Amino acid sequence: MDTRLANIAIVVEEAESVEKLNQILHEYGDDIIGRMGIPHRERGVSLISIAIDAPQNTISSLSGKLGMLEGVTAKAVYSKV
């Protein structure tokens, strides 16, 4: 199956959702290339960037599951390559 290279941008506004978010990311760990998280303590928000190489439906599934969490927004951006 063909894979796509993508970046998933995640904004976490509810700290209570972090544990579930990490569980979901762990489920997709074989496809994740890298992860960078930046907490903005003054605003109580975290920004997370996930680099992933996976089939498009896997990327969409991960982004959708993350976006359904309370206080979490997730959007995928796909490479054209």
Coordinates of all heavy atoms in Angstrom, one line a residue:
M1 N 0.8 -1.2 0.0 CA 0.0 0.0 0.0 C 0.9 1.2 0.0 O 1.9 1.3 0.7 CB -0.9 0.0 1.2 CG -1.8 1.2 1.3 SD -3.0 1.2 2.7 CE -4.2 0.0 2.1
D2 N 0.5 2.2 -0.8 CA 1.3 3.5 -0.9 C 1.1 4.3 0.4 O 0.0 4.3 1.0 CB 0.8 4.3 -2.0 CG 1.2 3.7 -3.4 OD1 2.2 3.0 -3.4 OD2 0.5 4.1 -4.4
T3 N 2.2 4.9 0.8 CA 2.1 5.8 2.0 C 2.3 7.2 1.6 O 2.8 7.5 0.5 CB 3.2 5.4 3.0 OG1 4.5 5.6 2.4 CG2 3.1 3.9 3.4
R4 N 1.9 8.1 2.5 CA 2.0 9.5 2.3 C 2.8 10.1 3.4 O 2.8 9.6 4.5 CB 0.6 10.2 2.3 CG -0.4 9.7 1.3 CD -0.4 10.4 0.0 NE -0.3 11.8 -0.1 CZ -1.2 12.7 -0.2 NH1 -2.5 12.4 -0.3 NH2 -0.9 14.0 -0.3
L5 N 3.5 11.2 3.2 CA 4.2 11.9 4.2 C 3.4 13.1 4.6 O 2.9 13.8 3.7 CB 5.6 12.3 3.6 CG 6.5 13.0 4.6 CD1 6.9 12.1 5.7 CD2 7.8 13.5 3.8
A6 N 3.2 13.2 5.9 CA 2.3 14.3 6.4 C 2.8 14.8 7.7 O 3.7 14.2 8.4 CB 0.9 13.8 6.5
N7 N 2.3 16.0 8.1 CA 2.6 16.6 9.4 C 1.2 16.8 10.0 O 0.3 17.4 9.3 CB 3.3 17.9 9.2 CG 3.7 18.5 10.6 OD1 4.5 17.9 11.3 ND2 3.1 19.6 11.0
I8 N 1.0 16.4 11.2 CA -0.2 16.7 11.9 C 0.1 17.7 13.0 O 0.9 17.5 13.9 CB -0.8 15.4 12.6 CG1 -1.1 14.3 11.5 CG2 -2.1 15.7 13.3 CD1 -1.5 13.0 12.1
A9 N -0.6 18.9 12.9 CA -0.5 19.9 13.9 C -1.6 19.8 14.9 O -2.7 19.6 14.5 CB -0.6 21.3 13.2
I10 N -1.2 19.8 16.2 CA -2.1 19.5 17.3 C -2.0 20.7 18.2 O -0.9 21.1 18.6 CB -1.8 18.2 18.0 CG1 -1.7 17.1 17.0 CG2 -2.8 18.0 19.1 CD1 -1.1 15.8 17.6
V11 N -3.2 21.2 18.6 CA -3.3 22.3 19.7 C -4.0 21.6 20.8 O -5.2 21.2 20.7 CB -4.0 23.5 19.2 CG1 -4.1 24.6 20.3 CG2 -3.2 24.1 18.0
V12 N -3.4 21.6 22.0 CA -4.0 21.0 23.2 C -4.4 22.2 24.2 O -3.5 22.8 24.7 CB -3.1 20.0 23.9 CG1 -3.8 19.4 25.1 CG2 -2.7 18.9 22.9
E13 N -5.7 22.4 24.4 CA -6.1 23.4 25.3 C -6.7 22.9 26.6 O -6.9 23.6 27.5 CB -7.2 24.3 24.6 CG -6.6 25.0 23.4 CD -7.7 25.7 22.6 OE1 -8.9 25.3 22.6 OE2 -7.4 26.8 22.0
E14 N -6.8 21.6 26.7 CA -7.3 20.9 27.9 C -6.3 19.9 28.4 O -6.2 18.8 27.7 CB -8.7 20.2 27.6 CG -9.8 21.1 27.3 CD -10.3 21.9 28.5 OE1 -10.1 21.5 29.7 OE2 -10.8 23.0 28.3
A15 N -5.6 20.2 29.5 CA -4.6 19.3 30.0 C -5.1 17.9 30.3 O -4.4 16.9 30.3 CB -3.9 19.9 31.2
E16 N -6.4 17.8 30.6 CA -7.0 16.5 31.0 C -7.0 15.5 29.8 O -7.2 14.3 30.0 CB -8.5 16.7 31.5 CG -8.6 17.5 32.8 CD -8.4 19.0 32.6 OE1 -8.7 19.5 31.5 OE2 -8.1 19.7 33.6
S17 N -6.9 16.0 28.6 CA -6.9 15.2 27.4 C -5.5 14.6 27.0 O -5.4 13.8 26.1 CB -7.5 16.0 26.2 OG -8.8 16.3 26.4
V18 N -4.5 15.1 27.7 CA -3.1 14.7 27.3 C -2.9 13.2 27.4 O -2.3 12.6 26.6 CB -2.1 15.5 28.1 CG1 -0.7 15.0 27.9 CG2 -2.2 17.0 27.8
E19 N -3.4 12.6 28.5 CA -3.1 11.1 28.7 C -3.8 10.3 27.5 O -3.1 9.5 27.0 CB -3.7 10.7 30.0 CG -3.4 9.2 30.3 CD -3.9 8.8 31.7 OE1 -4.1 9.6 32.5 OE2 -4.0 7.6 31.9
K20 N -5.0 10.6 27.2 CA -5.7 9.9 26.1 C -5.0 10.2 24.8 O -4.8 9.3 23.9 CB -7.1 10.4 26.0 CG -7.9 9.6 25.0 CD -8.0 8.1 25.2 CE -8.8 7.5 24.1 NZ -8.6 6.0 24.1
L21 N -4.5 11.5 24.5 CA -3.8 11.9 23.3 C -2.5 11.0 23.2 O -2.3 10.5 22.1 CB -3.4 13.3 23.4 CG -2.7 13.9 22.2 CD1 -3.2 15.3 21.9 CD2 -1.2 13.9 22.4
N22 N -1.8 10.9 24.3 CA -0.6 10.1 24.3 C -0.9 8.6 24.0 O -0.1 7.9 23.3 CB 0.2 10.2 25.6 CG 1.0 11.6 25.6 OD1 1.4 12.1 24.6 ND2 1.0 12.1 26.8
Q23 N -2.0 8.1 24.5 CA -2.4 6.7 24.2 C -2.6 6.5 22.7 O -2.2 5.5 22.1 CB -3.6 6.3 25.0 CG -3.3 6.1 26.5 CD -4.6 5.9 27.3 OE1 -5.7 6.0 26.7 NE2 -4.5 5.6 28.6
I24 N -3.3 7.4 22.1 CA -3.6 7.4 20.7 C -2.4 7.4 19.9 O -2.2 6.6 19.0 CB -4.6 8.5 20.3 CG1 -6.0 8.2 21.0 CG2 -4.8 8.5 18.8 CD1 -7.0 9.4 20.8
L25 N -1.5 8.3 20.2 CA -0.2 8.4 19.5 C 0.6 7.2 19.6 O 1.3 6.7 18.7 CB 0.6 9.6 20.0 CG 0.0 11.0 19.7 CD1 0.9 12.1 20.2 CD2 -0.1 11.2 18.2
H26 N 0.6 6.5 20.8 CA 1.3 5.3 21.0 C 0.8 4.2 20.0 O 1.5 3.4 19.5 CB 1.2 4.8 22.4 CG 1.9 3.6 22.7 ND1 3.3 3.5 22.8 CD2 1.5 2.3 22.9 CE1 3.6 2.3 23.1 NE2 2.5 1.5 23.1
E27 N -0.6 4.2 19.8 CA -1.2 3.2 18.9 C -0.6 3.3 17.5 O -0.6 2.3 16.8 CB -2.7 3.4 18.9 CG -3.4 3.0 20.2 CD -4.9 3.4 20.1 OE1 -5.4 3.6 19.0 OE2 -5.5 3.6 21.2
Y28 N -0.3 4.5 17.1 CA 0.2 4.8 15.7 C 1.7 4.9 15.7 O 2.3 5.4 14.7 CB -0.4 6.1 15.2 CG -1.9 5.9 14.9 CD1 -2.9 6.0 15.9 CD2 -2.4 5.6 13.6 CE1 -4.2 5.9 15.7 CE2 -3.7 5.4 13.4 CZ -4.6 5.6 14.4 OH -6.0 5.4 14.1
G29 N 2.4 4.5 16.7 CA 3.9 4.7 16.9 C 4.7 4.1 15.8 O 5.7 4.7 15.4
D30 N 4.3 3.0 15.1 CA 5.1 2.4 14.0 C 5.1 3.3 12.8 O 6.0 3.2 12.0 CB 4.5 1.1 13.6 CG 4.7 0.0 14.7 OD1 5.6 0.2 15.6 OD2 4.0 -1.0 14.7
D31 N 4.1 4.2 12.6 CA 4.1 5.1 11.5 C 4.6 6.5 11.8 O 4.9 7.2 10.8 CB 2.6 5.3 11.0 CG 2.0 3.9 10.5 OD1 2.7 3.2 9.8 OD2 0.9 3.6 10.9
I32 N 4.8 6.9 13.0 CA 5.2 8.2 13.4 C 6.8 8.3 13.2 O 7.5 7.5 13.8 CB 4.8 8.6 14.8 CG1 3.3 8.7 14.9 CG2 5.5 9.8 15.3 CD1 2.7 8.9 16.2
I33 N 7.2 9.3 12.5 CA 8.6 9.5 12.3 C 9.2 10.3 13.4 O 10.3 10.0 13.9 CB 8.9 10.3 10.9 CG1 8.3 9.5 9.8 CG2 10.4 10.6 10.7 CD1 8.2 10.3 8.5
G34 N 8.5 11.3 13.8 CA 9.0 12.2 14.9 C 7.9 13.0 15.5 O 6.8 13.1 15.0
R35 N 8.2 13.5 16.7 CA 7.2 14.3 17.4 C 7.9 15.5 18.1 O 9.0 15.3 18.7 CB 6.5 13.4 18.5 CG 5.7 14.2 19.5 CD 5.1 13.2 20.5 NE 4.4 13.9 21.5 CZ 3.6 13.3 22.4 NH1 3.5 12.0 22.4 NH2 3.0 14.0 23.3
M36 N 7.3 16.7 18.1 CA 7.9 17.8 18.8 C 6.7 18.5 19.6 O 5.7 18.8 19.0 CB 8.5 18.8 17.9 CG 9.0 20.0 18.6 SD 9.8 21.2 17.5 CE 8.4 21.7 16.5
G37 N 6.9 18.7 20.8 CA 5.9 19.3 21.6 C 6.4 20.6 22.3 O 7.6 20.6 22.8
I38 N 5.6 21.7 22.2 CA 6.0 22.9 22.8 C 4.9 23.4 23.8 O 3.8 23.8 23.3 CB 6.3 24.0 21.7 CG1 7.3 23.5 20.7 CG2 6.7 25.3 22.4 CD1 7.5 24.4 19.5
P39 N 5.2 23.4 25.1 CA 4.2 23.9 26.0 C 4.3 25.4 26.1 O 5.4 26.0 26.1 CB 4.5 23.3 27.3 CG 6.0 23.0 27.2 CD 6.3 22.8 25.8
H40 N 3.1 26.1 26.1 CA 3.1 27.6 26.3 C 2.4 27.7 27.7 O 1.2 27.9 27.8 CB 2.3 28.2 25.2 CG 2.4 29.7 25.2 ND1 2.2 30.5 26.3 CD2 2.8 30.6 24.2 CE1 2.4 31.8 26.0 NE2 2.8 31.8 24.7
R41 N 3.2 27.7 28.7 CA 2.7 27.7 30.1 C 1.9 28.9 30.4 O 0.9 28.9 31.1 CB 3.9 27.5 31.0 CG 4.5 26.1 30.9 CD 5.6 25.9 31.9 NE 6.1 24.6 31.8 CZ 7.1 24.2 30.9 NH1 7.6 25.1 30.1 NH2 7.5 23.0 30.8
E42 N 2.3 30.1 29.9 CA 1.5 31.3 30.2 C 0.1 31.2 29.7 O -0.8 31.8 30.3 CB 2.2 32.5 29.5 CG 3.5 32.9 30.1 CD 4.3 34.0 29.4 OE1 3.6 34.6 28.5 OE2 5.5 34.2 29.7
R43 N -0.2 30.6 28.6 CA -1.5 30.4 28.1 C -2.2 29.1 28.4 O -3.3 28.9 28.1 CB -1.5 30.6 26.6 CG -1.2 32.0 26.1 CD -1.4 32.1 24.7 NE -1.1 33.5 24.2 CZ -1.9 34.1 23.3 NH1 -2.8 33.5 22.7 NH2 -1.6 35.3 23.0
G44 N -1.4 28.2 29.0 CA -1.9 26.9 29.3 C -2.3 26.0 28.1 O -3.2 25.2 28.1
V45 N -1.5 26.2 27.0 CA -1.8 25.5 25.7 C -0.5 24.8 25.3 O 0.6 25.3 25.6 CB -2.2 26.5 24.6 CG1 -2.3 25.9 23.3 CG2 -3.5 27.2 25.0
S46 N -0.6 23.7 24.7 CA 0.6 23.0 24.1 C 0.4 22.8 22.6 O -0.7 22.6 22.1 CB 0.7 21.6 24.8 OG 1.1 21.7 26.1
L47 N 1.5 23.0 21.9 CA 1.5 22.8 20.4 C 2.3 21.6 20.2 O 3.5 21.5 20.7 CB 2.1 24.0 19.7 CG 1.4 25.3 20.1 CD1 2.2 26.5 19.4 CD2 0.0 25.3 19.6
I48 N 1.8 20.6 19.4 CA 2.5 19.4 19.1 C 2.5 19.2 17.6 O 1.5 19.4 16.9 CB 1.8 18.2 19.7 CG1 1.7 18.4 21.3 CG2 2.6 16.9 19.4 CD1 0.9 17.3 22.0
S49 N 3.7 18.8 17.1 CA 3.8 18.5 15.6 C 4.2 17.1 15.5 O 5.2 16.6 16.1 CB 4.9 19.4 15.0 OG 5.1 19.2 13.7
I50 N 3.5 16.3 14.7 CA 3.8 14.9 14.4 C 4.1 14.7 13.0 O 3.3 15.1 12.1 CB 2.5 14.0 14.7 CG1 2.0 14.3 16.2 CG2 2.8 12.6 14.4 CD1 3.0 13.8 17.2
A51 N 5.3 14.2 12.7 CA 5.7 13.8 11.3 C 5.3 12.3 11.2 O 5.7 11.5 12.0 CB 7.2 14.0 11.1
I52 N 4.6 12.0 10.1 CA 4.1 10.6 9.9 C 4.3 10.2 8.4 O 4.1 11.0 7.5 CB 2.7 10.5 10.4 CG1 2.2 9.1 10.4 CG2 1.8 11.4 9.6 CD1 0.9 8.9 11.1
D53 N 4.6 8.9 8.2 CA 4.7 8.3 6.9 C 3.8 7.1 7.0 O 4.2 6.0 7.5 CB 6.1 7.9 6.6 CG 6.3 7.4 5.1 OD1 5.3 7.4 4.4 OD2 7.5 7.2 4.8
A54 N 2.6 7.2 6.4 CA 1.6 6.1 6.5 C 0.6 6.2 5.4 O 0.5 7.3 4.7 CB 0.9 6.2 7.9
P55 N -0.3 5.2 5.2 CA -1.3 5.3 4.2 C -2.3 6.5 4.6 O -2.4 6.8 5.8 CB -2.1 4.0 4.3 CG -1.1 3.1 4.9 CD -0.2 3.9 5.8
Q56 N -2.9 7.1 3.6 CA -3.7 8.3 3.8 C -4.8 8.0 4.8 O -5.1 8.9 5.7 CB -4.2 8.9 2.5 CG -5.0 10.2 2.7 CD -5.3 10.9 1.4 OE1 -4.7 10.6 0.4 NE2 -6.1 11.9 1.5
N57 N -5.4 6.9 4.7 CA -6.5 6.6 5.6 C -6.0 6.4 7.1 O -6.8 6.8 8.0 CB -7.3 5.3 5.2 CG -6.5 4.1 5.2 OD1 -5.3 4.1 5.1 ND2 -7.1 2.9 5.3
T58 N -4.8 6.0 7.3 CA -4.2 5.9 8.6 C -4.0 7.3 9.2 O -4.3 7.6 10.4 CB -2.9 5.1 8.6 OG1 -3.2 3.8 8.1 CG2 -2.3 5.1 10.0
I59 N -3.5 8.2 8.4 CA -3.2 9.6 8.8 C -4.6 10.3 9.1 O -4.7 10.9 10.1 CB -2.5 10.4 7.7 CG1 -1.1 9.7 7.5 CG2 -2.3 11.8 8.1 CD1 -0.3 10.2 6.2
S60 N -5.5 10.1 8.3 CA -6.9 10.7 8.5 C -7.5 10.1 9.8 O -8.1 10.9 10.5 CB -7.8 10.4 7.3 OG -7.3 11.1 6.2
S61 N -7.3 8.8 10.0 CA -7.9 8.2 11.2 C -7.2 8.8 12.5 O -7.9 9.1 13.4 CB -7.7 6.7 11.1 OG -8.1 6.1 12.3
L62 N -5.9 8.9 12.5 CA -5.2 9.5 13.6 C -5.6 10.9 13.9 O -6.0 11.3 15.0 CB -3.7 9.4 13.4 CG -2.8 10.1 14.4 CD1 -3.1 9.6 15.8 CD2 -1.3 9.9 14.0
S63 N -5.6 11.7 12.8 CA -6.0 13.1 13.0 C -7.4 13.2 13.5 O -7.7 14.1 14.3 CB -5.9 13.8 11.6 OG -6.2 15.2 11.7
G64 N -8.3 12.4 13.0 CA -9.7 12.4 13.4 C -9.9 12.1 14.8 O -10.7 12.7 15.6
K65 N -9.2 11.0 15.3 CA -9.3 10.6 16.7 C -8.8 11.6 17.6 O -9.4 11.9 18.7 CB -8.5 9.3 16.9 CG -9.2 8.0 16.3 CD -8.3 6.8 16.6 CE -9.0 5.6 16.0 NZ -8.2 4.4 16.2
L66 N -7.7 12.3 17.2 CA -7.1 13.3 18.1 C -8.1 14.5 18.1 O -8.3 15.1 19.2 CB -5.8 13.8 17.5 CG -4.7 12.7 17.6 CD1 -3.4 13.3 16.9 CD2 -4.3 12.4 19.0
G67 N -8.7 14.9 17.0 CA -9.6 16.0 17.0 C -10.9 15.8 17.7 O -11.5 16.8 18.1
M68 N -11.2 14.6 18.0 CA -12.5 14.3 18.8 C -12.2 14.4 20.3 O -13.2 14.4 21.0 CB -13.0 12.9 18.4 CG -13.6 12.8 17.0 SD -14.5 11.3 16.7 CE -13.3 10.1 17.0
L69 N -11.0 14.5 20.7 CA -10.7 14.7 22.1 C -11.1 16.1 22.6 O -11.0 17.1 21.9 CB -9.2 14.5 22.4 CG -8.7 13.1 22.2 CD1 -7.2 13.1 22.4 CD2 -9.3 12.1 23.1
E70 N -11.6 16.2 23.8 CA -12.1 17.5 24.4 C -10.9 18.4 24.5 O -9.8 18.1 25.0 CB -12.7 17.2 25.8 CG -13.2 18.5 26.4 CD -14.5 18.9 25.8 OE1 -15.3 18.0 25.3 OE2 -14.8 20.1 25.7
G71 N -11.0 19.6 23.9 CA -10.0 20.6 24.0 C -8.8 20.4 23.1 O -7.7 21.0 23.3
V72 N -8.9 19.5 22.1 CA -7.8 19.2 21.2 C -8.3 19.5 19.7 O -9.4 19.1 19.3 CB -7.4 17.7 21.3 CG1 -6.3 17.4 20.3 CG2 -6.9 17.4 22.7
T73 N -7.4 20.2 19.0 CA -7.6 20.5 17.6 C -6.5 19.8 16.8 O -5.3 20.0 17.2 CB -7.7 22.0 17.3 OG1 -8.7 22.6 18.1 CG2 -7.9 22.2 15.8
A74 N -6.8 19.1 15.7 CA -5.7 18.4 15.0 C -6.0 18.6 13.5 O -7.2 18.4 13.0 CB -5.6 17.0 15.3
K75 N -5.0 19.0 12.7 CA -5.1 19.1 11.3 C -3.9 18.5 10.6 O -2.8 18.7 11.0 CB -5.2 20.6 10.9 CG -6.3 21.4 11.5 CD -7.7 20.9 10.9 CE -8.8 21.8 11.6 NZ -10.1 21.3 11.3
A76 N -4.2 17.8 9.5 CA -3.1 17.1 8.7 C -2.8 17.9 7.5 O -3.7 18.4 6.8 CB -3.5 15.7 8.4
V77 N -1.5 18.0 7.2 CA -1.0 18.7 6.0 C -0.1 17.6 5.3 O 0.8 17.1 5.9 CB -0.1 19.9 6.3 CG1 0.4 20.5 5.0 CG2 -0.9 20.9 7.1
Y78 N -0.5 17.4 4.0 CA 0.2 16.3 3.2 C 1.2 16.8 2.3 O 1.1 17.9 1.7 CB -0.9 15.5 2.4 CG -1.8 14.8 3.3 CD1 -3.0 15.4 3.7 CD2 -1.6 13.4 3.6 CE1 -3.9 14.7 4.5 CE2 -2.5 12.7 4.4 CZ -3.7 13.3 4.8 OH -4.6 12.6 5.6
S79 N 2.3 16.0 2.1 CA 3.3 16.3 1.2 C 2.8 16.0 -0.2 O 2.0 15.0 -0.4 CB 4.6 15.5 1.4 OG 5.5 15.5 0.4
K80 N 3.3 16.7 -1.2 CA 2.9 16.4 -2.6 C 3.7 15.3 -3.2 O 3.5 14.7 -4.3 CB 2.9 17.6 -3.5 CG 1.9 18.7 -3.1 CD 2.0 19.9 -4.0 CE 1.0 20.9 -3.5 NZ 1.0 22.1 -4.3
V81 N 4.8 14.9 -2.5 CA 5.7 13.9 -3.0 C 5.2 12.5 -2.6 O 4.8 12.2 -1.6 CB 7.1 14.1 -2.4 CG1 8.1 13.0 -2.9 CG2 7.7 15.5 -2.7

